Amino acid sequence: MENKKNQVNQNSAPIGIFDSGVGGLTVAREVMRNIPLERIVYFGDTARVPYGSKSKETIVRYSRQIIRFLMTQGVKAIVVACNTASAFALEEVKKEIEIPIIGVVQPGAKVACAATRNKKIGVIGTEGTVRSQIYTKVIQEWDPKIEVIGKACPLFVPLVEEGWLKDPVTDEVAYRYLKEIKEKNIDTLILGCTHYPLLRSTVQKVMGENVTLVNPAYETALELKNLLYQHKLENRGDGGEKELKYQFFVSDAADKFKQFANSILPYDIETTKQINIEEF
Ligand code: DGL
């Protein structure tokens, strides 16, 4: 009886999702759409964004702190909704915790491999993600014949954080960054930073309709669903209804985050709490 009760409690516990800022909301959005019974505790590290230009050591330290914070919220599983942290920290932190944890790189790479016809895949991401070559490694483990061409687009993150999603300045930046990769004749492009799906229409306009854009967020939500099922951790809606379904925490500028989140989520968030992540 006690076991059953614990299992129900565990099943109704939230999923922890984190990113350096608002980018991971593109993943949270897919979790809300595709596994609607699940509760979410989201953390955006708005005080320390961007992650893309920082070292592996720093990203591992930040990720550890965030995971410690999420554990205090009783999460049952974690999604690293940041490509940079998935590239640099996922393998390290996986060894240190007992609950299931996934990143966004494997799911994105899988969809891209299935989508490419000419075996030329482009990846755009932060400097860290592109430098880590993580997508190349994962993709070529599945199919060594696929050529992977990476391009860092560091200005995309501040443009998204600023809310300049459809703007002539963003168009110009996109043309400059993508020119090189466009000339390589890729047929598939991975949006390898969780901020970038918010610039999808700009990127598509620049790359042309013949290039398939891959947003790893959707596939990540499906992988999470599968993972919860395997671990018998799915929320069956039979407990925890009194708790807040979606909770949002940031390390700075809570109001700005809330406004942004409300403009892209299928649901209006009521509160965003600011915490001192350095305490964890
Ligand atoms: N959204 C993050 C990613 O997917 C990081 C952006 C940043 O903080 O540089 O890599």
Side-chain angles (χ1 to χ4, degrees), residues 19-20 23-24 49-53 81-85 126 129 157 192-195:
D19 178 48
S20 60
V49 64
Y51 279 12
S53 50
C82 172
N83 287 264
T84 316
T126 65
T129 302
V157 170
C193 169
T194 50
H195 282 69

Side-chain angles (χ1 to χ4, degrees), residues 23-250:
L25 291 171
T26 59
V27 178
R29 181 167 68 177
E30 295 304 329
V31 174
M32 290 172 180
R33 284 179 183 149
N34 293 287
I35 358 181
L37 285 178
E38 295 302 334
R39 294 169 52 221
I40 294 174
V41 173
Y42 183 95
F43 179 77
D45 201 356
T46 46
R48 305 188 293 195
V49 64
Y51 279 12
S53 50
K54 298 192 169 77
S55 67
K56 176 177 164 114
E57 291 66 37
T58 301
I59 302 305
V60 172
R61 182 168 73 80
Y62 288 177
S63 301
R64 283 196 178 116
Q65 286 178 318
I66 296 168
I67 289 168
R68 282 198 280 269
F69 163 69
L70 291 172
M71 299 301 271
T72 67
Q73 302 301 303
V75 299
K76 64 181 175 187
I78 292 178
V79 180
V80 184
C82 172
N83 287 264
T84 316
S86 298
F88 285 152
L90 180 62
E91 288 311 311
E92 304 269 335
V93 296
K94 211 182 227 174
K95 297 178 224 146
E96 299 164 6
I97 60 171
E98 277 165 18
I99 59 170
I101 180 164
I102 56 166
V104 283
V105 170
Q106 294 269 350
K110 193 161 117 194
V111 188
C113 286
T116 186
R117 296 284 161 257
N118 72 357
K119 296 197 185 282
K120 282 188 181 188
I121 298 176
V123 181
I124 51 173
T126 65
E127 285 165 328
T129 302
V130 172
R131 195 177 44 196
S132 76
Q133 300 247 350
I134 181 94
Y135 276 100
T136 313
K137 284 178 210 147
V138 173
I139 289 171
Q140 291 184 345
E141 260 167 39
W142 282 322
D143 186 346
K145 291 206 190 81
I146 296 180
E147 189 185 343
V148 184
I149 300 132
K151 174 75 188 164
C153 306
L155 288 176
F156 278 178
V157 170
L159 287 167
V160 169
E161 295 275 331
E162 196 57 33
W164 292 14
L165 304 185
K166 290 200 174 118
D167 189 282
V169 173
T170 309
D171 284 354
E172 177 59 29
V173 172
Y175 275 109
R176 288 224 209 166
Y177 278 145
L178 301 175
K179 186 173 179 289
E180 193 186 311
I181 210 164
K182 211 182 154 182
E183 285 163 3
K184 298 274 166 58
N185 191 31
I186 56 162
D187 69 353
T188 305
L189 179 64
I190 302 175
L191 304 175
C193 169
T194 50
H195 282 69
Y196 298 180
L198 299 166
L199 300 177
R200 189 181 187 116
S201 58
T202 305
V203 174
Q204 190 81 69
K205 186 166 69 185
V206 176
M207 294 306 296
E209 289 305 320
N210 292 335
V211 174
T212 306
L213 300 189
V214 171
N215 170 9
Y218 172 69
E219 204 61 24
T220 303
L222 297 191
E223 194 164 314
L224 172 66
K225 187 176 182 180
N226 199 13
L227 190 76
L228 294 174
Y229 177 76
Q230 278 168 12
H231 288 261
K232 298 193 172 46
L233 279 174
E234 329 87 284
N235 193 333
R236 303 192 187 96
D238 52 4
E241 288 83 5
K242 288 193 204 83
E243 315 286 336
L244 259 184
K245 186 153 188 200
Y246 302 131
Q247 284 182 279
F248 298 84
F249 295 86
V250 289

